[in-house]
Amino acid sequence: MVAGELVQELHPGAPDDIAVMKCPDPEGDTKRCAEPTYAAAAATPGGAADTDPALEQEKEVPPDEREAMLPNGGEKEEKKHGARPETKLYRLRFAVLAVFSLYSLVNAFQWIQYSIITNVFMHYYGVTSDKVDWLSIVYMVAYVPLIFPATWLLDRKGLRLTALLGAGLNCAGAWMKCASVSPERFGVTVTAQVVCSVAQVFILGLPSRVASVWFGPQEVSTACAVAVLGNQLGTAIGFLLPPVLIPNTPDNVELTGHNISIMFYGTAAVSTALFFLTVLVIKDRPLLPPSHAQAVLPDTPGEDYSYKQSIVNLMKNKAFVLLLVSYGIMTGSFYSVSTLLNQMIMACYEGQELNAGRIGLTLVVAGMVGSILCGLWLDHTKTYKMTTLIVYFLSFLGMIVFTFTLNLNNILLVFFTAGALGFFMTGYLPLGFEFGVEITYPESEGTSSGLLNAFAQIFGIVFTLIQGKLTTVHGPLIGNLFLCAWIFLGILLTALIKSELKRHNVNMGAEKERLQALLTDCPEDRPPGEKTNGLKLQTSVSLSRETSL
């Protein structure tokens, strides 16, 4: 059996850049071959004197770029101790992911529960539509200034404290809303929504951190998609339940207040249960790291760590800056469409409050399916830029179709076009997170995700205000065309991103070293009387831009 066939049998997913080299004189290389050879090193610490001159040129590989990037020398520490760090996957990771996704769900539900029945809250509190819109916009406004202290806290204090703050504030805001059920207490409900919006700051940036810290390389993108899925599912339930629980009864204020109190108290009870589950389940990190990319990073920031410098490093990364703007455009467009969906539907289909909620549900549920499929696809192919670009372009087409079919007096067609739009637009959200982590590794996942969300909130605020004004004055068509133009710009910016998969390269480097240790074939290691073909496998060191299909 030749060496290439041996690689395929032992490890079908082996990298393609494995070089096959003839071992020099088997009898003269006993000492040199006694220990596994790792191609990532130029020479083993204890074997420099035994290096065969014939292989000197092959062994003098330039240092890998990623070594200079990793804290504390990364792989240099690993080589110094002569062993690859142990990794392990724990079943607890599924509980951590589930609890996080659920309280993220409740937070998203509280964001959209006002906007989808704007007309009901307008009549109940006696306010204008723009004031009800601000109950959604406040989520975006609060996020921008608070994301920096929130990501600093995540870097310094870890996942657990950040998660507790998110779940705790979410619970507090839900109970405050219970005290706002009275037509003259609009200020109380605004204050409660502000508290919930602060909770969101400690939630939106965590999916990529939860996925990276707890899940292995072959499941990290799917885990991130599931974490984002919780937030999307909360939005979906927020579209569905409020129109059902609080039907429009403008002539009976007491009945409206009773229905609102049922929704608020139910939300508060669920939030409380999830807070206690967060206390019990969520930890900073597992005892052993789940991947090599996590193993080479320090458990806690070193004394020389600077959060400010981390921000500076990210803003100097041209690829990440392009991703910031393109991600902000797409996610901001989604926020704007979600906030104004009730007004758009009511402008074209009078008296269809219930169907407006169902259309919103269709939009988000289709997006949830898109998120999971995109996560599975990324784990399988690692084609981050290509997948992101294709989904972005299809979102643009979906927005065009939704815009020109909204006013055709066919509500069933709107269900279909909204579902298609949501499948791609909402499915893009975890793609941006994971792409950002790849091109910024080893910078903190929380910091990169936090900046992406900050730009998303900024664009969301601007788009919601402008599209809302255009929709009110000129109708939904002009407002949606405004978003279409921006999404097209996002396609161009995404195409300019230079894709360098840094985290993936670290994990692949560790896999290559494992293969080298398994497949190095030396004569003295073979049973007596068994011949060797004199072949020795060694991996070539390269830093790929992006794995192709």
Side-chain angles (χ1 to χ4, degrees), residues 245-318:
L245 296 176
I246 312 173
N248 189 15
T249 55
D251 298 329
N252 193 337
V253 177
E254 290 185 2
L255 179 60
T256 301
H258 174 72
N259 293 332
I260 291 174
S261 67
I262 290 176
M263 181 174 71
F264 284 168
Y265 275 102
T267 305
V270 174
S271 299
T272 303
L274 289 172
F275 173 71
F276 286 113
L277 282 176
T278 303
V279 174
L280 295 174
V281 172
I282 294 188
K283 312 294 181 186
D284 283 330
R285 60 181 65 245
L287 293 176
L288 293 175
S291 66
H292 185 75
Q294 284 295 309
V296 298
L297 296 176
D299 290 343
T300 57
E303 294 181 358
D304 59 343
Y305 172 80
S306 170
Y307 176 73
K308 179 181 178 181
Q309 186 59 45
S310 178
I311 297 292
V312 171
N313 292 341
L314 290 175
M315 299 311 294
K316 286 182 178 179
N317 187 326
K318 295 180 181 179

Side-chain angles (χ1 to χ4, degrees), residues 108-125:
F109 174 81
Q110 296 198 80
W111 163 56
I112 205 67
Q113 64 185 170
Y114 293 100
S115 296
I116 197 58
I117 48 173
T118 299
N119 54 329
V120 174
F121 282 103
M122 285 171 56
H123 288 110
Y124 184 72
Y125 286 114

Side-chain angles (χ1 to χ4, degrees), residues 168-183:
L169 289 172
N170 197 48
C171 178
W175 281 109
M176 289 178 65
K177 288 182 181 181
C178 296
S180 70
V181 185
S182 180

Side-chain angles (χ1 to χ4, degrees), residues 137-186:
I137 297 174
V138 70
Y139 261 61
M140 310 173 202
V141 173
Y143 193 92
V144 178
L146 294 178
I147 185 55
F148 297 104
T151 52
W152 177 89
L153 185 71
L154 178 61
D155 287 346
R156 283 292 181 181
K157 301 300 181 181
L159 176 64
R160 178 175 170 80
L161 179 60
T162 308
L164 288 175
L165 283 173
L169 289 172
N170 197 48
C171 178
W175 281 109
M176 289 178 65
K177 288 182 181 181
C178 296
S180 70
V181 185
S182 180
E184 66 274 6
R185 296 180 186 172
F186 183 72

Side-chain angles (χ1 to χ4, degrees), residues 213-533:
V213 170
W214 283 92
F215 288 82
Q218 300 306 316
E219 55 189 15
V220 62
S221 296
T222 305
C224 183
V226 172
V228 174
L229 182 75
N231 202 267
Q232 297 170 1
L233 182 58
T235 305
I237 296 174
F239 280 125
L240 177 65
L241 280 186
V244 175
L245 296 176
I246 312 173
N248 189 15
T249 55
D251 298 329
N252 193 337
V253 177
E254 290 185 2
L255 179 60
T256 301
H258 174 72
N259 293 332
I260 291 174
S261 67
I262 290 176
M263 181 174 71
F264 284 168
Y265 275 102
T267 305
V270 174
S271 299
T272 303
L274 289 172
F275 173 71
F276 286 113
L277 282 176
T278 303
V279 174
L280 295 174
V281 172
I282 294 188
K283 312 294 181 186
D284 283 330
R285 60 181 65 245
L287 293 176
L288 293 175
S291 66
H292 185 75
Q294 284 295 309
V296 298
L297 296 176
D299 290 343
T300 57
E303 294 181 358
D304 59 343
Y305 172 80
S306 170
Y307 176 73
K308 179 181 178 181
Q309 186 59 45
S310 178
I311 297 292
V312 171
N313 292 341
L314 290 175
M315 299 311 294
K316 286 182 178 179
N317 187 326
K318 295 180 181 179
F320 183 67
V321 171
L322 289 172
L323 181 63
L324 276 179
V325 179
S326 61
Y327 184 88
I329 290 173
M330 176 62 75
T331 312
S333 298
F334 170 71
Y335 290 160
S336 183
V337 170
S338 299
T339 301
L340 301 172
L341 184 62
N342 175 269
Q343 296 177 42
M344 288 190 283
I345 299 299
M346 296 303 295
C348 299
Y349 303 92
E350 188 175 351
Q352 294 288 337
E353 294 93 348
L354 193 57
N355 274 329
R358 290 170 178 169
I359 291 171
L361 174 68
T362 303
L363 185 146
V364 179
V365 168
M368 290 160 52
V369 177
S371 294
I372 295 298
L373 292 179
C374 288
L376 292 170
W377 177 256
L378 286 186
D379 280 333
H380 180 67
T381 66
K382 303 299 181 184
T383 52
Y384 290 85
K385 178 179 176 179
M386 184 60 65
T387 304
T388 301
L389 187 59
I390 291 173
V391 172
Y392 216 118
F393 179 73
L394 293 175
S395 298
F396 171 71
L397 292 182
M399 192 67 203
I400 289 288
V401 173
F402 176 77
T403 298
F404 287 101
T405 58
L406 182 62
N407 59 351
L408 293 182
N409 199 28
N410 188 338
I411 194 77
L412 293 179
L413 181 62
V414 178
F415 273 92
F416 177 79
T417 56
L421 175 64
F423 182 87
F424 298 110
M425 184 177 280
T426 316
Y428 171 83
L429 302 183
L431 293 180
F433 279 152
E434 285 297 286
F435 196 15
V437 172
E438 285 291 340
I439 62 180
T440 61
Y441 180 87
E443 299 294 345
S444 169
E445 303 92 345
T447 306
S448 61
S449 298
L451 287 174
L452 287 171
N453 277 319
F455 270 68
Q457 308 300 331
I458 292 172
F459 277 96
I461 294 169
V462 175
F463 286 174
T464 301
L465 292 175
I466 295 178
Q467 188 189 9
K469 189 67 174 178
L470 291 174
T471 300
T472 302
V473 177
H474 302 287
L477 177 65
I478 301 301
N480 286 333
L481 285 176
F482 166 77
L483 290 185
C484 290
W486 277 96
I487 294 174
F488 182 76
L489 175 62
I491 295 174
L492 301 180
L493 295 177
T494 303
L496 295 175
I497 296 175
K498 184 178 180 182
S499 177
E500 187 172 327
L501 308 184
K502 298 175 182 178
R503 180 181 64 178
H504 174 63
N505 286 324
V506 172
N507 287 325
M508 289 299 291
E511 186 66 15
K512 291 177 185 179
E513 292 176 3
R514 187 183 71 81
L515 283 172
Q516 177 62 40
L518 285 173
L519 300 177
T520 299
D521 195 5
C522 297
E524 66 276 12
D525 294 332
R526 305 185 68 81
E530 184 175 346
K531 294 182 180 180
T532 177
N533 58 9

Side-chain angles (χ1 to χ4, degrees), residues 19-40:
V20 181
M21 302 187 301
K22 279 281 186 180
C23 273
D25 182 12
E27 296 180 0
D29 286 340
T30 300
K31 183 177 180 181
R32 181 174 56 80
C33 293
E35 296 182 0
T37 301
Y38 294 91

